[in-house]
Amino acid sequence: MVARITLPNDRSSFFDLRAFAEGFAAREGLSDVMGNRLVLILEELFTNVHKFGRGDHSAKVIDVGLERVGDDLLVAFADDGGAFNPLGLPIPRMDRNVDERPVGGLGFHIVRSMTRKLRYERTGSWNRLHLVCAVRP
Amino acid sequence: MTAEEARFADVVILRVAGRVDQETSLGLQEALQRVIEGIGAPSLVGLVIDFSRVPYISSAGLRALMVGAKQCKARGGKIALAALQPVVREVFQISRFDKVIATFESLPDALGSMSQAAVVAFRAGPAR
């Protein structure tokens, strides 16, 4: 069964998004660890839209769908901001020590690392990310 | 998220509890800064962050730790993390944060990497 939530792009939506993911994880019988992975992916995607914006056309709405299909977790994450494909973000350099590493830039790398498949599309006025994560213990 | 300090000889343990996310990471950064400001005096050599009660960290939390690690190094101090939980450990591996902050299985291991006096004080009982 698909669970879906549509939220305004404002700071307080983070709490609603987290509660939505935790509720889904509980209903699907996911482990606490897997539930935390799901919340983490959604937090990083939300932050990417909310804090870093979409150029001169910020998103007003975020729409999230979750579905479990066997051992896969399908995540559909959409925003109505300006066109932005995060798959084009560079992979951060992580082989450097504390002096040489920048302070940020890890959010989408975490998402990429925790998903098995990742696809972006621009449909109408929406950025749509489709993620497949393996359900693990 | 809460963060409590306890001093053992020449090392401070910062015991963090709860989720470290975009809403709480600033609190962690401020708690780290309070301890780090005392580093550099001869009687305080380092900071061990106890993560045994932290089930979750996002990139916002990593940012706070990175800032703390840079500040600590600038003051000539040592910094380490102990007892990472599964998702936190996974995020650290993904982000290669072992290159940023040394991590240890237990508090005594982390303390021992900095100061034997701190290990002795820790084993002796509650912080003084």
Side-chain angles (χ1 to χ4, degrees):
Chain A
M1 191 178 113
V2 180
R4 189 168 175 188
I5 191 169
T6 302
L7 297 163
N9 177 23
D10 61 44
R11 183 178 166 180
S12 65
S13 290
F14 169 66
F15 299 104
D16 296 327
L17 185 59
R18 191 174 78 191
F20 167 71
E22 288 172 343
F24 174 84
R27 285 194 304 278
E28 293 293 336
L30 304 182
S31 68
D32 289 347
V33 171
M34 190 65 214
N36 277 331
R37 287 192 190 106
L38 175 60
V39 173
L40 179 57
I41 288 167
L42 294 179
E43 178 183 339
E44 299 298 353
L45 294 175
F46 174 81
T47 300
N48 190 268
V49 175
H50 180 65
K51 286 201 173 159
F52 303 123
R54 291 289 185 257
D56 57 358
H57 180 188
S58 296
K60 291 184 175 60
V61 174
I62 290 166
D63 185 82
V64 180
L66 300 174
E67 183 178 13
R68 182 175 184 175
V69 179
D71 288 336
D72 282 338
L73 194 57
L74 313 184
V75 180
F77 190 100
D79 72 82
D80 63 349
F84 178 73
N85 180 0
L87 274 64
L89 290 170
I91 295 172
R93 290 285 306 269
M94 293 172 293
D95 56 345
R96 300 174 179 182
N97 66 26
V98 64
D99 294 322
E100 298 165 328
R101 280 182 67 160
V103 168
L106 290 168
F108 196 73
H109 173 68
I110 291 172
V111 172
R112 213 187 312 241
S113 301
M114 288 189 155
T115 52
R116 201 158 59 73
K117 292 182 188 168
L118 193 50
R119 182 168 61 86
Y120 168 83
E121 62 179 346
R122 178 77 179 174
T123 56
S125 59
W126 290 84
N127 296 300
R128 296 186 187 279
L129 274 172
H130 302 275
L131 301 85
V132 180
C133 314
V135 174
R136 292 180 280 151
Chain B
M1 197 258 339
T2 60
E4 294 175 359
E5 296 171 33
R7 183 160 179 164
F8 295 90
D10 49 2
V11 176
V12 167
I13 293 178
L14 188 67
R15 299 182 194 276
V16 184
R19 306 170 72 87
V20 183
D21 59 23
Q22 63 164 296
E23 292 300 318
T24 61
S25 60
L26 185 60
L28 174 61
Q29 191 170 320
E30 289 169 351
L32 289 170
Q33 192 167 349
R34 277 196 298 276
V35 177
I36 290 167
E37 281 171 357
I39 289 178
S43 59
L44 184 60
V45 299
L47 162 64
V48 170
I49 309 165
D50 177 2
F51 256 36
S52 62
R53 291 186 291 160
V54 175
Y56 178 101
I57 191 168
S58 68
S59 63
L62 294 182
R63 177 186 290 263
L65 291 174
M66 179 74 84
V67 170
K70 286 178 182 285
Q71 289 174 335
C72 197
K73 187 162 187 193
R75 296 183 72 93
K78 298 175 181 174
I79 186 166
L81 273 152
L84 304 190
Q85 300 306 296
V87 171
V88 177
R89 186 183 301 276
E90 194 174 338
V91 170
F92 265 61
Q93 287 167 347
I94 288 169
S95 310
R96 299 288 309 275
F97 241 62
D98 57 318
K99 305 278 280 184
V100 176
I101 301 180
T103 61
F104 295 87
E105 288 294 318
S106 69
L107 280 173
D109 290 346
L111 291 169
S113 73
M114 294 183 189
S115 159
Q116 281 310 305
V119 175
V120 170
F122 180 76
R123 289 190 170 139
R128 291 178 288 274

PDB file of all heavy atoms in Angstrom, chain B residues 23-56:
ATOM      1  N   GLU B  23      17.343  19.808  13.421  1.00  0.00           N
ATOM      2  CA  GLU B  23      16.743  20.613  14.485  1.00  0.00           C
ATOM      3  C   GLU B  23      17.597  20.648  15.749  1.00  0.00           C
ATOM      4  O   GLU B  23      17.422  21.528  16.580  1.00  0.00           O
ATOM      5  CB  GLU B  23      15.345  20.076  14.820  1.00  0.00           C
ATOM      6  CG  GLU B  23      14.351  20.274  13.697  1.00  0.00           C
ATOM      7  CD  GLU B  23      14.160  21.748  13.347  1.00  0.00           C
ATOM      8  OE1 GLU B  23      14.083  22.574  14.267  1.00  0.00           O
ATOM      9  OE2 GLU B  23      14.087  22.061  12.145  1.00  0.00           O
ATOM     10  N   THR B  24      18.468  19.678  15.938  1.00  0.00           N
ATOM     11  CA  THR B  24      19.224  19.591  17.198  1.00  0.00           C
ATOM     12  C   THR B  24      20.727  19.791  17.025  1.00  0.00           C
ATOM     13  O   THR B  24      21.446  19.899  18.017  1.00  0.00           O
ATOM     14  CB  THR B  24      18.999  18.215  17.863  1.00  0.00           C
ATOM     15  OG1 THR B  24      19.474  17.183  16.991  1.00  0.00           O
ATOM     16  CG2 THR B  24      17.528  17.969  18.158  1.00  0.00           C
ATOM     17  N   SER B  25      21.193  19.823  15.780  1.00  0.00           N
ATOM     18  CA  SER B  25      22.645  19.839  15.566  1.00  0.00           C
ATOM     19  C   SER B  25      23.297  21.114  16.090  1.00  0.00           C
ATOM     20  O   SER B  25      24.457  21.090  16.526  1.00  0.00           O
ATOM     21  CB  SER B  25      22.967  19.657  14.080  1.00  0.00           C
ATOM     22  OG  SER B  25      22.385  20.685  13.318  1.00  0.00           O
ATOM     23  N   LEU B  26      22.556  22.221  16.070  1.00  0.00           N
ATOM     24  CA  LEU B  26      23.136  23.460  16.595  1.00  0.00           C
ATOM     25  C   LEU B  26      23.415  23.318  18.088  1.00  0.00           C
ATOM     26  O   LEU B  26      24.436  23.815  18.589  1.00  0.00           O
ATOM     27  CB  LEU B  26      22.202  24.641  16.318  1.00  0.00           C
ATOM     28  CG  LEU B  26      22.748  26.008  16.717  1.00  0.00           C
ATOM     29  CD1 LEU B  26      24.045  26.327  15.969  1.00  0.00           C
ATOM     30  CD2 LEU B  26      21.713  27.103  16.448  1.00  0.00           C
ATOM     31  N   GLY B  27      22.522  22.629  18.802  1.00  0.00           N
ATOM     32  CA  GLY B  27      22.745  22.388  20.231  1.00  0.00           C
ATOM     33  C   GLY B  27      24.003  21.587  20.470  1.00  0.00           C
ATOM     34  O   GLY B  27      24.763  21.853  21.416  1.00  0.00           O
ATOM     35  N   LEU B  28      24.250  20.584  19.621  1.00  0.00           N
ATOM     36  CA  LEU B  28      25.482  19.802  19.749  1.00  0.00           C
ATOM     37  C   LEU B  28      26.695  20.684  19.463  1.00  0.00           C
ATOM     38  O   LEU B  28      27.694  20.630  20.201  1.00  0.00           O
ATOM     39  CB  LEU B  28      25.464  18.610  18.779  1.00  0.00           C
ATOM     40  CG  LEU B  28      26.752  17.805  18.719  1.00  0.00           C
ATOM     41  CD1 LEU B  28      27.082  17.184  20.083  1.00  0.00           C
ATOM     42  CD2 LEU B  28      26.672  16.713  17.649  1.00  0.00           C
ATOM     43  N   GLN B  29      26.587  21.500  18.426  1.00  0.00           N
ATOM     44  CA  GLN B  29      27.725  22.362  18.076  1.00  0.00           C
ATOM     45  C   GLN B  29      28.069  23.313  19.219  1.00  0.00           C
ATOM     46  O   GLN B  29      29.237  23.528  19.548  1.00  0.00           O
ATOM     47  CB  GLN B  29      27.379  23.154  16.806  1.00  0.00           C
ATOM     48  CG  GLN B  29      28.573  23.870  16.203  1.00  0.00           C
ATOM     49  CD  GLN B  29      28.244  24.430  14.827  1.00  0.00           C
ATOM     50  OE1 GLN B  29      27.559  23.783  14.035  1.00  0.00           O
ATOM     51  NE2 GLN B  29      28.718  25.622  14.549  1.00  0.00           N
ATOM     52  N   GLU B  30      27.030  23.857  19.873  1.00  0.00           N
ATOM     53  CA  GLU B  30      27.268  24.779  20.991  1.00  0.00           C
ATOM     54  C   GLU B  30      27.867  24.045  22.185  1.00  0.00           C
ATOM     55  O   GLU B  30      28.757  24.576  22.864  1.00  0.00           O
ATOM     56  CB  GLU B  30      25.951  25.462  21.373  1.00  0.00           C
ATOM     57  CG  GLU B  30      25.481  26.466  20.324  1.00  0.00           C
ATOM     58  CD  GLU B  30      24.061  26.969  20.544  1.00  0.00           C
ATOM     59  OE1 GLU B  30      23.355  26.409  21.419  1.00  0.00           O
ATOM     60  OE2 GLU B  30      23.666  27.890  19.825  1.00  0.00           O
ATOM     61  N   ALA B  31      27.395  22.829  22.438  1.00  0.00           N
ATOM     62  CA  ALA B  31      27.942  22.042  23.562  1.00  0.00           C
ATOM     63  C   ALA B  31      29.412  21.706  23.306  1.00  0.00           C
ATOM     64  O   ALA B  31      30.249  21.773  24.223  1.00  0.00           O
ATOM     65  CB  ALA B  31      27.129  20.766  23.746  1.00  0.00           C
ATOM     66  N   LEU B  32      29.730  21.346  22.063  1.00  0.00           N
ATOM     67  CA  LEU B  32      31.126  21.050  21.722  1.00  0.00           C
ATOM     68  C   LEU B  32      31.993  22.293  21.924  1.00  0.00           C
ATOM     69  O   LEU B  32      33.088  22.221  22.488  1.00  0.00           O
ATOM     70  CB  LEU B  32      31.227  20.594  20.261  1.00  0.00           C
ATOM     71  CG  LEU B  32      30.658  19.214  19.939  1.00  0.00           C
ATOM     72  CD1 LEU B  32      30.592  19.001  18.425  1.00  0.00           C
ATOM     73  CD2 LEU B  32      31.499  18.119  20.577  1.00  0.00           C
ATOM     74  N   GLN B  33      31.475  23.418  21.480  1.00  0.00           N
ATOM     75  CA  GLN B  33      32.259  24.650  21.556  1.00  0.00           C
ATOM     76  C   GLN B  33      32.569  25.027  22.999  1.00  0.00           C
ATOM     77  O   GLN B  33      33.676  25.469  23.315  1.00  0.00           O
ATOM     78  CB  GLN B  33      31.511  25.780  20.858  1.00  0.00           C
ATOM     79  CG  GLN B  33      32.385  27.003  20.635  1.00  0.00           C
ATOM     80  CD  GLN B  33      31.752  27.991  19.681  1.00  0.00           C
ATOM     81  OE1 GLN B  33      30.754  27.684  19.029  1.00  0.00           O
ATOM     82  NE2 GLN B  33      32.314  29.175  19.605  1.00  0.00           N
ATOM     83  N   ARG B  34      31.579  24.812  23.892  1.00  0.00           N
ATOM     84  CA  ARG B  34      31.790  25.146  25.312  1.00  0.00           C
ATOM     85  C   ARG B  34      32.959  24.362  25.881  1.00  0.00           C
ATOM     86  O   ARG B  34      33.774  24.886  26.631  1.00  0.00           O
ATOM     87  CB  ARG B  34      30.523  24.847  26.120  1.00  0.00           C
ATOM     88  CG  ARG B  34      29.476  25.946  26.074  1.00  0.00           C
ATOM     89  CD  ARG B  34      28.450  25.767  27.185  1.00  0.00           C
ATOM     90  NE  ARG B  34      27.711  24.525  27.067  1.00  0.00           N
ATOM     91  CZ  ARG B  34      26.632  24.375  26.294  1.00  0.00           C
ATOM     92  NH1 ARG B  34      26.181  25.393  25.592  1.00  0.00           N
ATOM     93  NH2 ARG B  34      25.992  23.229  26.231  1.00  0.00           N
ATOM     94  N   VAL B  35      33.031  23.075  25.523  1.00  0.00           N
ATOM     95  CA  VAL B  35      34.136  22.252  26.045  1.00  0.00           C
ATOM     96  C   VAL B  35      35.443  22.640  25.369  1.00  0.00           C
ATOM     97  O   VAL B  35      36.483  22.797  26.028  1.00  0.00           O
ATOM     98  CB  VAL B  35      33.848  20.752  25.810  1.00  0.00           C
ATOM     99  CG1 VAL B  35      35.037  19.911  26.288  1.00  0.00           C
ATOM    100  CG2 VAL B  35      32.581  20.326  26.524  1.00  0.00           C
ATOM    101  N   ILE B  36      35.395  22.805  24.071  1.00  0.00           N
ATOM    102  CA  ILE B  36      36.623  23.058  23.305  1.00  0.00           C
ATOM    103  C   ILE B  36      37.270  24.373  23.717  1.00  0.00           C
ATOM    104  O   ILE B  36      38.499  24.499  23.701  1.00  0.00           O
ATOM    105  CB  ILE B  36      36.306  23.022  21.786  1.00  0.00           C
ATOM    106  CG1 ILE B  36      35.979  21.578  21.375  1.00  0.00           C
ATOM    107  CG2 ILE B  36      37.456  23.565  20.959  1.00  0.00           C
ATOM    108  CD1 ILE B  36      35.346  21.436  20.009  1.00  0.00           C
ATOM    109  N   GLU B  37      36.465  25.340  24.145  1.00  0.00           N
ATOM    110  CA  GLU B  37      37.036  26.621  24.579  1.00  0.00           C
ATOM    111  C   GLU B  37      37.983  26.445  25.766  1.00  0.00           C
ATOM    112  O   GLU B  37      38.861  27.268  25.989  1.00  0.00           O
ATOM    113  CB  GLU B  37      35.917  27.612  24.922  1.00  0.00           C
ATOM    114  CG  GLU B  37      35.322  28.247  23.667  1.00  0.00           C
ATOM    115  CD  GLU B  37      34.064  29.059  23.951  1.00  0.00           C
ATOM    116  OE1 GLU B  37      33.625  29.081  25.120  1.00  0.00           O
ATOM    117  OE2 GLU B  37      33.524  29.636  22.993  1.00  0.00           O
ATOM    118  N   GLY B  38      37.785  25.354  26.526  1.00  0.00           N
ATOM    119  CA  GLY B  38      38.668  25.110  27.676  1.00  0.00           C
ATOM    120  C   GLY B  38      39.916  24.338  27.323  1.00  0.00           C
ATOM    121  O   GLY B  38      40.829  24.190  28.153  1.00  0.00           O
ATOM    122  N   ILE B  39      39.973  23.823  26.118  1.00  0.00           N
ATOM    123  CA  ILE B  39      41.143  23.036  25.702  1.00  0.00           C
ATOM    124  C   ILE B  39      42.286  23.976  25.347  1.00  0.00           C
ATOM    125  O   ILE B  39      42.078  25.025  24.751  1.00  0.00           O
ATOM    126  CB  ILE B  39      40.778  22.131  24.501  1.00  0.00           C
ATOM    127  CG1 ILE B  39      39.854  21.007  24.965  1.00  0.00           C
ATOM    128  CG2 ILE B  39      42.033  21.556  23.849  1.00  0.00           C
ATOM    129  CD1 ILE B  39      39.388  20.087  23.871  1.00  0.00           C
ATOM    130  N   GLY B  40      43.456  23.542  25.704  1.00  0.00           N
ATOM    131  CA  GLY B  40      44.625  24.383  25.461  1.00  0.00           C
ATOM    132  C   GLY B  40      45.275  24.740  26.784  1.00  0.00           C
ATOM    133  O   GLY B  40      46.488  24.906  26.866  1.00  0.00           O
ATOM    134  N   ALA B  41      44.443  24.822  27.829  1.00  0.00           N
ATOM    135  CA  ALA B  41      45.016  24.980  29.170  1.00  0.00           C
ATOM    136  C   ALA B  41      45.734  23.669  29.508  1.00  0.00           C
ATOM    137  O   ALA B  41      45.313  22.596  29.056  1.00  0.00           O
ATOM    138  CB  ALA B  41      43.910  25.252  30.180  1.00  0.00           C
ATOM    139  N   PRO B  42      46.825  23.727  30.264  1.00  0.00           N
ATOM    140  CA  PRO B  42      47.614  22.521  30.520  1.00  0.00           C
ATOM    141  C   PRO B  42      46.826  21.385  31.154  1.00  0.00           C
ATOM    142  O   PRO B  42      47.133  20.221  30.966  1.00  0.00           O
ATOM    143  CB  PRO B  42      48.708  23.012  31.484  1.00  0.00           C
ATOM    144  CG  PRO B  42      48.766  24.478  31.285  1.00  0.00           C
ATOM    145  CD  PRO B  42      47.400  24.912  30.874  1.00  0.00           C
ATOM    146  N   SER B  43      45.761  21.697  31.888  1.00  0.00           N
ATOM    147  CA  SER B  43      45.042  20.655  32.619  1.00  0.00           C
ATOM    148  C   SER B  43      43.965  19.960  31.800  1.00  0.00           C
ATOM    149  O   SER B  43      43.302  19.066  32.294  1.00  0.00           O
ATOM    150  CB  SER B  43      44.410  21.257  33.871  1.00  0.00           C
ATOM    151  OG  SER B  43      43.522  22.283  33.494  1.00  0.00           O
ATOM    152  N   LEU B  44      43.747  20.376  30.574  1.00  0.00           N
ATOM    153  CA  LEU B  44      42.711  19.755  29.747  1.00  0.00           C
ATOM    154  C   LEU B  44      43.284  19.464  28.356  1.00  0.00           C
ATOM    155  O   LEU B  44      43.629  20.387  27.616  1.00  0.00           O
ATOM    156  CB  LEU B  44      41.494  20.681  29.636  1.00  0.00           C
ATOM    157  CG  LEU B  44      40.284  20.123  28.879  1.00  0.00           C
ATOM    158  CD1 LEU B  44      39.757  18.853  29.542  1.00  0.00           C
ATOM    159  CD2 LEU B  44      39.167  21.172  28.825  1.00  0.00           C
ATOM    160  N   VAL B  45      43.379  18.173  28.036  1.00  0.00           N
ATOM    161  CA  VAL B  45      44.041  17.820  26.768  1.00  0.00           C
ATOM    162  C   VAL B  45      43.059  17.430  25.663  1.00  0.00           C
ATOM    163  O   VAL B  45      43.402  17.493  24.487  1.00  0.00           O
ATOM    164  CB  VAL B  45      45.058  16.669  26.947  1.00  0.00           C
ATOM    165  CG1 VAL B  45      46.156  17.074  27.910  1.00  0.00           C
ATOM    166  CG2 VAL B  45      44.375  15.378  27.382  1.00  0.00           C
ATOM    167  N   GLY B  46      41.863  17.007  26.056  1.00  0.00           N
ATOM    168  CA  GLY B  46      40.986  16.541  24.981  1.00  0.00           C
ATOM    169  C   GLY B  46      39.553  16.311  25.384  1.00  0.00           C
ATOM    170  O   GLY B  46      39.161  16.490  26.542  1.00  0.00           O
ATOM    171  N   LEU B  47      38.782  15.876  24.379  1.00  0.00           N
ATOM    172  CA  LEU B  47      37.342  15.700  24.501  1.00  0.00           C
ATOM    173  C   LEU B  47      36.959  14.361  23.878  1.00  0.00           C
ATOM    174  O   LEU B  47      37.325  14.073  22.735  1.00  0.00           O
ATOM    175  CB  LEU B  47      36.647  16.842  23.748  1.00  0.00           C
ATOM    176  CG  LEU B  47      35.178  16.692  23.367  1.00  0.00           C
ATOM    177  CD1 LEU B  47      34.307  16.592  24.624  1.00  0.00           C
ATOM    178  CD2 LEU B  47      34.735  17.886  22.519  1.00  0.00           C
ATOM    179  N   VAL B  48      36.223  13.552  24.650  1.00  0.00           N
ATOM    180  CA  VAL B  48      35.654  12.311  24.131  1.00  0.00           C
ATOM    181  C   VAL B  48      34.138  12.480  24.083  1.00  0.00           C
ATOM    182  O   VAL B  48      33.523  12.859  25.081  1.00  0.00           O
ATOM    183  CB  VAL B  48      36.015  11.102  25.013  1.00  0.00           C
ATOM    184  CG1 VAL B  48      35.213   9.875  24.579  1.00  0.00           C
ATOM    185  CG2 VAL B  48      37.506  10.815  24.943  1.00  0.00           C
ATOM    186  N   ILE B  49      33.559  12.228  22.916  1.00  0.00           N
ATOM    187  CA  ILE B  49      32.105  12.356  22.754  1.00  0.00           C
ATOM    188  C   ILE B  49      31.503  10.963  22.849  1.00  0.00           C
ATOM    189  O   ILE B  49      31.819  10.080  22.042  1.00  0.00           O
ATOM    190  CB  ILE B  49      31.771  13.003  21.403  1.00  0.00           C
ATOM    191  CG1 ILE B  49      32.571  14.298  21.199  1.00  0.00           C
ATOM    192  CG2 ILE B  49      30.279  13.297  21.323  1.00  0.00           C
ATOM    193  CD1 ILE B  49      32.562  14.796  19.761  1.00  0.00           C
ATOM    194  N   ASP B  50      30.653  10.782  23.851  1.00  0.00           N
ATOM    195  CA  ASP B  50      29.998   9.484  24.071  1.00  0.00           C
ATOM    196  C   ASP B  50      28.722   9.433  23.237  1.00  0.00           C
ATOM    197  O   ASP B  50      27.756  10.151  23.517  1.00  0.00           O
ATOM    198  CB  ASP B  50      29.692   9.338  25.571  1.00  0.00           C
ATOM    199  CG  ASP B  50      28.937   8.055  25.893  1.00  0.00           C
ATOM    200  OD1 ASP B  50      28.677   7.252  24.964  1.00  0.00           O
ATOM    201  OD2 ASP B  50      28.599   7.860  27.071  1.00  0.00           O
ATOM    202  N   PHE B  51      28.707   8.594  22.211  1.00  0.00           N
ATOM    203  CA  PHE B  51      27.556   8.484  21.311  1.00  0.00           C
ATOM    204  C   PHE B  51      26.746   7.208  21.562  1.00  0.00           C
ATOM    205  O   PHE B  51      25.982   6.783  20.701  1.00  0.00           O
ATOM    206  CB  PHE B  51      28.036   8.515  19.857  1.00  0.00           C
ATOM    207  CG  PHE B  51      27.780   9.842  19.149  1.00  0.00           C
ATOM    208  CD1 PHE B  51      27.882  11.054  19.817  1.00  0.00           C
ATOM    209  CD2 PHE B  51      27.452   9.882  17.794  1.00  0.00           C
ATOM    210  CE1 PHE B  51      27.646  12.264  19.169  1.00  0.00           C
ATOM    211  CE2 PHE B  51      27.212  11.083  17.130  1.00  0.00           C
ATOM    212  CZ  PHE B  51      27.305  12.277  17.819  1.00  0.00           C
ATOM    213  N   SER B  52      26.909   6.607  22.733  1.00  0.00           N
ATOM    214  CA  SER B  52      26.218   5.338  22.979  1.00  0.00           C
ATOM    215  C   SER B  52      24.696   5.493  23.022  1.00  0.00           C
ATOM    216  O   SER B  52      23.963   4.520  22.861  1.00  0.00           O
ATOM    217  CB  SER B  52      26.717   4.704  24.280  1.00  0.00           C
ATOM    218  OG  SER B  52      26.436   5.550  25.373  1.00  0.00           O
ATOM    219  N   ARG B  53      24.199   6.704  23.237  1.00  0.00           N
ATOM    220  CA  ARG B  53      22.748   6.936  23.282  1.00  0.00           C
ATOM    221  C   ARG B  53      22.285   7.849  22.134  1.00  0.00           C
ATOM    222  O   ARG B  53      21.314   8.577  22.260  1.00  0.00           O
ATOM    223  CB  ARG B  53      22.362   7.518  24.644  1.00  0.00           C
ATOM    224  CG  ARG B  53      22.513   6.491  25.783  1.00  0.00           C
ATOM    225  CD  ARG B  53      21.995   7.032  27.098  1.00  0.00           C
ATOM    226  NE  ARG B  53      22.847   8.107  27.591  1.00  0.00           N
ATOM    227  CZ  ARG B  53      22.467   9.012  28.484  1.00  0.00           C
ATOM    228  NH1 ARG B  53      21.249   8.983  28.978  1.00  0.00           N
ATOM    229  NH2 ARG B  53      23.300   9.953  28.883  1.00  0.00           N
ATOM    230  N   VAL B  54      23.039   7.775  21.028  1.00  0.00           N
ATOM    231  CA  VAL B  54      22.661   8.543  19.826  1.00  0.00           C
ATOM    232  C   VAL B  54      22.303   7.549  18.715  1.00  0.00           C
ATOM    233  O   VAL B  54      23.178   6.936  18.117  1.00  0.00           O
ATOM    234  CB  VAL B  54      23.816   9.463  19.379  1.00  0.00           C
ATOM    235  CG1 VAL B  54      23.458  10.168  18.065  1.00  0.00           C
ATOM    236  CG2 VAL B  54      24.132  10.487  20.460  1.00  0.00           C
ATOM    237  N   PRO B  55      21.004   7.363  18.438  1.00  0.00           N
ATOM    238  CA  PRO B  55      20.623   6.364  17.437  1.00  0.00           C
ATOM    239  C   PRO B  55      20.648   6.885  16.012  1.00  0.00           C
ATOM    240  O   PRO B  55      20.493   6.111  15.059  1.00  0.00           O
ATOM    241  CB  PRO B  55      19.184   6.022  17.835  1.00  0.00           C
ATOM    242  CG  PRO B  55      18.655   7.295  18.430  1.00  0.00           C
ATOM    243  CD  PRO B  55      19.833   7.947  19.124  1.00  0.00           C
ATOM    244  N   TYR B  56      20.837   8.206  15.851  1.00  0.00           N
ATOM    245  CA  TYR B  56      20.597   8.813  14.528  1.00  0.00           C
ATOM    246  C   TYR B  56      21.446  10.061  14.369  1.00  0.00           C
ATOM    247  O   TYR B  56      21.523  10.888  15.283  1.00  0.00           O
ATOM    248  CB  TYR B  56      19.120   9.193  14.459  1.00  0.00           C
ATOM    249  CG  TYR B  56      18.661   9.885  13.201  1.00  0.00           C
ATOM    250  CD1 TYR B  56      17.995   9.192  12.198  1.00  0.00           C
ATOM    251  CD2 TYR B  56      18.853  11.258  13.013  1.00  0.00           C
ATOM    252  CE1 TYR B  56      17.543   9.830  11.043  1.00  0.00           C
ATOM    253  CE2 TYR B  56      18.408  11.902  11.872  1.00  0.00           C
ATOM    254  CZ  TYR B  56      17.752  11.181  10.896  1.00  0.00           C
ATOM    255  OH  TYR B  56      17.307  11.817   9.756  1.00  0.00           O
TER     256      TYR B  56
END
